[in-house]
Amino acid sequence: MKRRDFLKKAAVGAVAAGAAPAVLAQSNKKIRWRMATSWPKAFDTIYGGAVTVSERVKAMTGGQFEIIPYAGGELVGGLEVFDAVSQGTVQMGHTASYYYIGKNPSLAFDTAVPFGLNYRQQNAWLYNGGGLEKLRKIFAEHNIVNFPAGNTGVQMGGWFRKEVNTVADLQGLKMRIPGLGGKVMSRLGATVQVLPGAEIYPALERGVIDATEWVGPYDDEKAGFYKVAKYYYHPGWWEPAPTLSIYVNQKAWDSLPKEYQEIVASASAEANLNMMVDYDSKNPVALKSLLDKGTELREYSQEILEAARKEAYALYDELSAEDATFKDIYEGWRAFKAESDPWFSTAETSYASFNFK
């Protein structure tokens, strides 16, 4: 090839590559969607998952595809996102699937289950272990396409007005805790409530509840729980790595050009990474601040942890006997965990037990 021809072709290619975003924008009409979330805007990190998806989609489409996120309660209640997306009231949602286990208990696996997987294991199971594929069959029955779009990492074990040292101390305790973790706490004797984020502090302040779990130090300090509950427990055994999810109404999804579908998927994956990064950088500072304000850190006793784990796996066996879908997902999840745990115990736990002191 002559040098002049080569340079000419290279110049044409460069122009075409540079023009790609413009061509993409011109080939698709402008789209504007609404996204309902379960989160108050004040919780900027967890609400930030929705913001990340919205901002990245807009940037990657040259402003042609705009998604407007709304806080819980602005369009629908914080616990009504599933139905809003399923019915097409909104095109998208950002929420935690374990809020909706009343529709199908298997939805808990899309978020987290007690004594389950850590952040890296959860992502490995969802993306490479068949988890997302099986869960999408459930969501498809409700006209929803789901994407992992955020994770808080292992959470704290909640705020309590009084110390809880034994299982007996949980009897009659009124606690806000969702998902299968709430089912386990109920089996241990607690009276469980499920409240959206914006309603937790008033309930704790007025004594409607005696204890609550939320997320971790950064969000919990913002919520002000330390002002009305003194004892801060760990670990959050019911949420070792809760995934937050983007929901897309199936009809709305099908209406998108293929390249826009890929952009939504990529933006969700970015949110899944960014949220964990944010929490890992903000929680250490917030925990120190909470302790400086008089918060008393407590670790759950072995008695409570062992009793909770026993009840958790008894619950899984019962749900498997009642529900074939739950059994199918649980058996695959359990097999994945059985293979994954020894590796993490070998590499991660041994390092952490020596170094994180």
Side-chain angles (χ1 to χ4, degrees), residues 262-282:
E262 293 297 327
I263 286 170
V264 169
S266 295
S268 298
E270 187 169 337
N272 198 33
L273 170 65
N274 284 356
M275 188 182 293
M276 190 70 264
V277 170
D278 282 346
Y279 276 119
D280 279 345
S281 61
K282 293 174 178 177

Side-chain angles (χ1 to χ4, degrees), residues 31-74:
I31 300 172
R32 196 170 190 269
W33 280 7
R34 298 186 302 170
M35 182 197 298
T37 79
S38 295
W39 329 116
K41 289 182 180 178
F43 296 111
D44 58 300
T45 301
I46 199 166
Y47 181 77
V51 173
T52 295
V53 172
S54 301
E55 290 180 345
R56 295 303 294 142
V57 166
K58 184 176 182 179
M60 287 190 281
T61 60
Q64 288 297 102
F65 187 5
E66 187 174 9
I67 301 166
I68 310 299
Y70 292 86
E74 288 186 337

Side-chain angles (χ1 to χ4, degrees), residues 198-219:
E199 298 178 18
I200 300 174
Y201 182 89
L204 190 61
E205 183 182 38
R206 296 196 308 267
V208 175
I209 54 176
D210 306 309
T212 186
E213 65 83 47
W214 180 228
V215 181
Y218 180 71
D219 284 338

Side-chain angles (χ1 to χ4, degrees), residues 324-348:
T325 299
F326 187 95
K327 180 180 180 181
D328 178 52
I329 293 178
Y330 173 55
E331 288 183 347
W333 175 91
R334 185 174 58 182
F336 178 90
K337 187 174 187 297
E339 286 190 346
S340 180
D341 281 354
W343 158 243
F344 275 82
S345 177
T346 299
E348 300 289 331

